[in-house]
Every structure is written in structure tokens, then in C-alpha cells.
Amino acid sequence: MRLRALLESDALGLRLLGGEDELDRTVRGVMTTDLRDPSRYLSGGELVLTGLAWRRSAEDSEPFVRILASAGVAGLAAGEAELGNIPQDLVEACVRHRLPLFSVTESVAFATITEHVVRQVSGERAGDLAAVVDRHRRLMTSGPAGGGPEVVLDLLTSDLDLHAWVLSPVGRQVAGSDTPLPHGVGPALAAEHLAASRTGRRSPHRVVLGNIAYSLFPIRTAGRGADRIAGTAASRDVRENVLSDWLLAVEADAGDWPAARLDLLQGVTQLIAVERDRRDAARTVRRRLAQEVLELVQAGAAPSEIAARLRVAAPVLLPGLGAAPHWQVVVARVEWEGGTVESGPMAQALLEEILVDPTIPADSMASAAEPADRIAVAHSGEEAIALVPLPAVAADQPEGAEAPGLHAETLLDSVQAPLSGGLADDGRLTLGVSAPVHSAEGLRGALEEARHARRVAAARPGRVAAAGHHELASHVLLLPFVPDDVRRAFTARLLDPLRDYDRRHRAELIPTLEAFLDSDGSWTRCAARLHLHVNTLRYRVGRIEQLTGRDLSRLEDKLDFFLALRMS
């Protein structure tokens, strides 16, 4: 607002004592002070209100006004209550320094002037920012974002003094102001947001953490429930989106905001939603490549074929990585009680967020260097499957050193608290993590391992559960403690029919079974290892299944055979 606008309100009772030529100055805020030197609290553009308690003599006016003028304040308003009138020495000092001076009648409180100025300034800033938001919305709808939502978040800070952050469902900071959230606040806000969303509470959701109030706004994209009106429930099941939507966290209590400001923040969430849709669209190629690799692995394709496909996909799946990395496989599944909620795509989007390394700083959302761009996630039915590249073992590490990798416990710790609120009483998330493998040859085994680890996690209590490859090895560690009679009965039921058949026909079914399991169920690798034609191998495996009543395409039956061979 302009200084001259203060004279247009009779309720303020201001009288201009000097500086008529400077009334077009812009007022950016208001400050009340009786300090002799308030410079440390001034940033420029303020209307300074003072009761003159700092003035002991006529000589005090000159240094006080000089400090205000040097700080670039817009004007000075002095109250008449202390001295009955405004001293002439103060008027003359303001004239010398070209600082507009107003007198404030005793009947008008400084709080009245402060409220008026703040209301006017905030309204004008909100209007200007709304215009910026609208312009960005049109630009982002028609073409490149030109800076993306970061620009609008910066404007929220600079023009409305609102600090805001974009958070993922697990509380990772995707974008925001220059000041990052304190440690642990992001996940806590995400947990509160997910819990409020499941209960159907109207947004924005108000949360107080450490005596700081935050207002949480959902960011709903076209692919995740754009047909829902902000703050209201829609016909679609909220469970389809609750674990994949981002949120905007604003450090403020929006409970008493006017409708215009709430509309402005909704416009900001729409801008961010556009960028989210664009990022998801950019991931389409990555997801398709991951799906193709996954289909080859599940079909038992030759390792050379899988390796060739990975080499072709490397520039997309592994941006910036020169050497072929080690790999891990992570399997996730979201399950809901009752209803028919398609959870495969949700698990895919969620797994992409979960596997972003939290130690990597978040770049601009418009940047192609998003840390999530090194995670290839596909979904098959209701489960999501991630191929996670790991750094190769460094040259100076001991031979045989294992590549660094993901740990189920770490993943669980990072997502259990925030996601439990969104899962409420009717949802479950289970995760399985494989051991690192150093080549395409091990991907099939890693996939089976991750799937079995997820089943182990599913047998545990809790809304979020995870298990890793090392927990599968514990089955072997327990074998010596199985009673002898149980061991004999278990192995006899599975292996005796095969041993008897081998004795009578020299069919080598037991060696074939061992080789088949060691080859992770790959027909081509097992046949090459046994120097057999694939058709001969298929005949032998068929005979094993016929004699035992088991199916070697099922993980559970493979595991039983594995344990029987180990115990025999």
C-alpha cells in the first residue's frame, strides 16, 4: 500500500506533519518501537509507530530519525499521548531526512493502525501473488514450467512470509523454502496428513509440532483423484490415492484465513500437481523398460538376453552411472480389507517414493536429476517390483566384498510411522528385500528371494512390515534344531520316491532337482549345467513333480525341496 492511503481512513485519525512529496512510498509492513536505536529490527519499507518514550531531550530526535532514514523505512507515526503534541525538533529532523511524519491522536491505538496496515498489505500481496499463480498455471498447462513450483513457494516466503514445503507420503522433502524442515518433522506431518485424510476431515489439516502450527494441503493430480473437490469426499475410494498423494505443508495456522488466501494456496497445490503429473509422465518410459526386464526375468529368459536388454535400457534406467552396477530387488504389496481397490499402481508409486535415498538433497521438481530417477519400478498384478541399482564394489576393496545395499530394517524404520496412519485399520503394506546380485544371471533368484521375504513379512503383525534376505537364511540356521524324527519324516516324504525311482531307472532325478534349484529354476542354465537338452530336463522335472505331487514353479514347493535336500 502507499503512504497516502493512510490519510484516506478517518478511523486512523492520522495528521500529516511533513513529507507530503514522499507519500507515494510503498508500505511493506508496520513496526512499533520506543528503542533509541531500533535498526536491528528494521528491513526497509516499514511504517514505524512510536510513543516517543525514547526522547529525553531535543537532541535525541536527530539520531533517531537518521537511523530510520538509513534503514529505508517508509514513514514515521508518532503518538500524542506521551507529550500531548509532537515536538518541533522531531518535525524538523524528519524534514531534513525527507521522512514523512504523521501524528497519531490519543484516541487511536497503535494496534488499530497495525491491523489496518497488515490487512491492506496482505490483501495487496495476496492479489499480486494470485496473479503470479494464475500466470504460472497457464504457462505450466501450455508448456514448460519455467522454474516449476519452487518459484511460487519462494514467492509465498518473500511476499506473504509463509514458509512452505512439498512432502511425499513418507515425509521426504520434495521441494520447499530455503530452510529445511527440522529432522523428523516431515514424517510426522505426513503421518498426521494421512490419518486425517482417512477420516475424511476437511483440508487444510492443522497440526502443531513443537509449538509450531502447520497447515497441510493435499496435492491431488489428474491421475490420482483430480475429480475430487479440495476438502470434500468424492465418489472414488480415498484408499486409491491416500498413499501416493503429495502434500503441501505451510508453517501457519490457516484456521482463521480468509477465503481468498485459502483459494490462493489451493492454486499453489494445483501448480505442484501439474508438475507431479509431468514427472510421472516422464517416468512412463522407465516403468515400461522395467516391466520388460521383469517379464524376461519371470519367463526364465537366458541371462545373456536379460543382460542385453539391460544394456539397451541403461541410459534411461541408470542416468549418470558409467559402470554396470550391482542390483537388488524390492517387492511391495498393499492390501485392503473389503472392497475392490486396485493397489498395484499405488504400490508402484509408493515404492518409487520409499526407495529415494533420503541423504540425497532434493533438487527442483522440474529437474531431470531427481534421485528417484535411478529407481526402476514395475507392477505385476497387486505387487510392485523395483530394480534398484547399487554401486559396484570399489577397486580398493577386498576381493569378494559385498556391494552396499538396502536393508529391510532401514526401510521399515523410514516408512512405518508415516504410512500407518494412511493404512488405518483396514490396510497393510509388506516389503521384501533381496540380497545384492552382481549380474543379470542372479536377477531371477533375487526376485524369488524378495517375494518370499515379503511373504515372511506378511506373516508378521502390524500395518507395515518388512523382511530381508538374511531372514531367509535363518531357516537354514534352524535346521540343526529340528528333531531327528521330524527331519526323517519330512525328507522321506519328499525325497524317498525320487531315490527309489533313481535306483530302479538310473534317472538321476535327485541330481537334476539339486541343479534345477541351484539354477533358480532357469531351464536353459540348468540344461547347460547338466549337459542335457531342455526337453530332457523338462521330462525329468515333470517326473519329479509326478512322483512327489509338488509343483516346481511354486516358491513354497521349491523351498520345501531345498530344505529337504539340506536336511538329508
Side-chain angles (χ1 to χ4, degrees):
M1 64 177 295
R2 304 294 182 182
L3 268 178
R4 68 174 65 255
L6 295 172
L7 298 173
E8 298 171 357
S9 175
D10 295 335
L12 299 182
L14 296 180
R15 184 165 56 95
L16 182 65
L17 301 180
E20 185 175 357
D21 294 340
E22 304 293 332
L23 291 181
D24 284 330
R25 292 185 180 186
T26 299
V27 179
R28 299 186 180 278
V30 62
M31 176 193 176
T32 300
T33 184
D34 277 313
L35 296 173
R36 298 170 69 88
D37 180 3
S39 57
R40 73 183 69 180
Y41 304 110
L42 298 171
S43 58
E46 298 93 347
L47 172 66
V48 175
L49 306 178
T50 180
L52 300 177
W54 50 268
R55 184 182 179 276
R56 302 289 196 279
S57 65
E59 289 74 21
D60 293 335
S61 294
E62 169 64 25
F64 181 78
V65 172
R66 185 172 61 249
I67 289 170
L68 298 187
S70 298
V73 303
L76 173 65
E80 298 176 352
E82 182 75 15
L83 302 177
N85 56 18
I86 306 303
Q88 187 61 30
D89 49 86
L90 179 59
V91 175
E92 293 173 355
C94 287
V95 170
R96 284 193 296 273
H97 291 279
R98 302 178 62 84
L99 182 65
L101 176 64
F102 302 87
S103 66
V104 183
T105 182
E106 186 176 352
S107 62
V108 177
F110 282 176
T112 302
I113 301 174
T114 299
E115 182 181 353
H116 177 85
V117 172
V118 170
R119 186 168 58 248
Q120 293 297 317
V121 170
S122 297
E124 292 179 6
R125 285 180 178 174
D128 292 342
L129 186 55
V132 173
V133 170
D134 185 63
R135 183 169 67 253
H136 269 66
R137 185 186 297 115
R138 291 196 301 269
L139 287 173
M140 294 174 74
T141 301
S142 60
E150 292 279 7
V151 174
V152 182
L153 296 184
D154 288 343
L155 286 172
L156 285 176
T157 301
S158 63
D159 283 25
L160 294 184
D161 196 26
L162 291 176
H163 297 280
W165 301 266
V166 178
L167 303 178
S168 76
V170 295
R172 178 178 68 90
Q173 182 175 321
V174 180
S177 60
D178 293 337
T179 305
L181 284 168
H183 178 71
V185 170
L189 292 176
E192 294 284 351
H193 170 71
L194 291 173
S197 297
R198 285 304 311 274
T199 59
R201 281 167 44 197
R202 183 181 180 86
S203 65
H205 309 129
R206 180 180 179 274
V207 178
V208 178
L209 296 177
N211 296 322
I212 299 176
Y214 298 91
S215 297
L216 311 179
F217 296 80
I219 298 172
R220 290 161 178 157
T221 63
R224 296 179 175 83
D227 54 286
R228 296 180 296 180
I229 300 174
T232 65
S235 58
R236 294 184 63 178
D237 194 324
V238 67
R239 296 177 298 180
E240 294 180 17
N241 315 290
V242 67
L243 297 183
S244 53
D245 281 345
W246 284 351
L247 68 138
L248 176 67
V250 181
E251 188 180 314
D253 187 349
D256 57 354
W257 281 5
R261 179 167 285 203
L262 288 172
D263 288 344
L264 173 62
L265 267 294
Q266 295 294 352
V268 171
T269 64
Q270 291 170 16
L271 282 177
I272 300 168
V274 171
E275 198 62 37
R276 176 78 187 273
D277 281 337
R278 287 198 172 150
R279 197 190 73 159
D280 283 350
R283 285 184 177 176
T284 300
V285 174
R286 296 175 49 75
R287 289 171 171 172
R288 188 174 69 246
L289 290 174
Q291 195 77 34
E292 291 175 359
V293 173
L294 174 63
E295 289 173 358
L296 288 175
V297 171
Q298 292 188 120
S304 58
E305 185 179 355
I306 298 174
R309 192 72 193 93
L310 284 173
R311 283 194 297 272
V312 172
V316 177
L317 295 181
L318 310 172
L321 293 182
H326 290 65
W327 295 92
Q328 263 182 297
V329 176
V330 180
V331 173
R333 188 181 180 102
V334 178
E335 297 173 289
W336 302 102
E337 297 174 7
T340 55
V341 181
E342 185 183 6
S343 58
M346 179 199 305
Q348 181 182 42
L350 183 58
L351 198 51
E352 286 171 339
E353 296 292 348
I354 291 174
L355 295 178
V356 175
D357 187 346
T359 64
I360 300 176
D363 299 319
S364 168
M365 286 190 295
S367 169
E370 262 280 315
D373 285 343
R374 288 181 178 169
I375 307 296
V377 184
H379 75 86
S380 176
E382 296 299 302
E383 69 178 11
I385 301 166
L387 302 177
V388 183
L390 303 173
V393 177
D396 57 351
Q397 285 186 318
E399 184 177 355
E402 185 180 22
L406 299 168
H407 297 281
E409 298 85 354
T410 305
L411 288 181
L412 183 62
D413 290 343
S414 66
V415 303
Q416 189 169 33
L419 293 183
S420 293
L423 292 163
D425 295 327
D426 60 348
R428 289 206 75 202
L429 168 67
T430 50
L431 300 163
V433 183
S434 78
V437 294
H438 67 277
S439 67
E441 185 174 5
L443 280 178
R444 179 176 174 82
L447 174 58
E448 293 291 342
E449 190 172 61
R451 280 176 165 162
H452 185 58
R454 192 205 63 78
R455 293 189 183 101
V456 171
R460 294 173 175 169
R463 290 294 161 190
V464 184
H469 60 91
H470 62 283
E471 297 179 71
L472 304 187
S474 65
H475 292 81
V476 179
L477 296 177
L478 291 174
L479 294 183
F481 301 97
V482 178
D484 288 342
D485 56 341
V486 175
R487 291 159 62 94
R488 284 193 296 270
F490 183 79
T491 58
R493 185 172 67 252
L494 280 176
L495 301 183
D496 280 0
L498 306 182
R499 289 170 178 151
D500 292 340
Y501 192 87
D502 281 347
R503 277 196 299 269
R504 288 185 283 111
H505 301 283
R506 298 182 180 180
E508 298 186 337
L509 295 185
I510 292 291
T512 299
L513 175 61
E514 292 175 332
F516 188 77
L517 295 177
D518 288 343
S519 301
D520 299 319
S522 169
W523 297 100
T524 53
R525 280 188 286 128
C526 183
R529 178 173 177 174
L530 296 175
H531 305 290
L532 297 174
H533 192 278
V534 172
N535 288 342
T536 303
L537 175 62
R538 291 185 183 277
Y539 172 82
R540 289 187 181 181
V541 170
R543 180 63 67 182
I544 292 172
E545 293 174 335
Q546 182 184 29
L547 291 170
T548 61
R550 300 300 184 101
D551 182 356
L552 277 169
S553 66
R554 297 181 67 250
L555 177 62
E556 291 84 354
D557 289 342
K558 288 180 185 176
L559 181 61
D560 283 348
F561 278 124
F562 170 80
L563 293 175
L565 290 169
R566 285 297 183 97
M567 288 190 293
S568 63

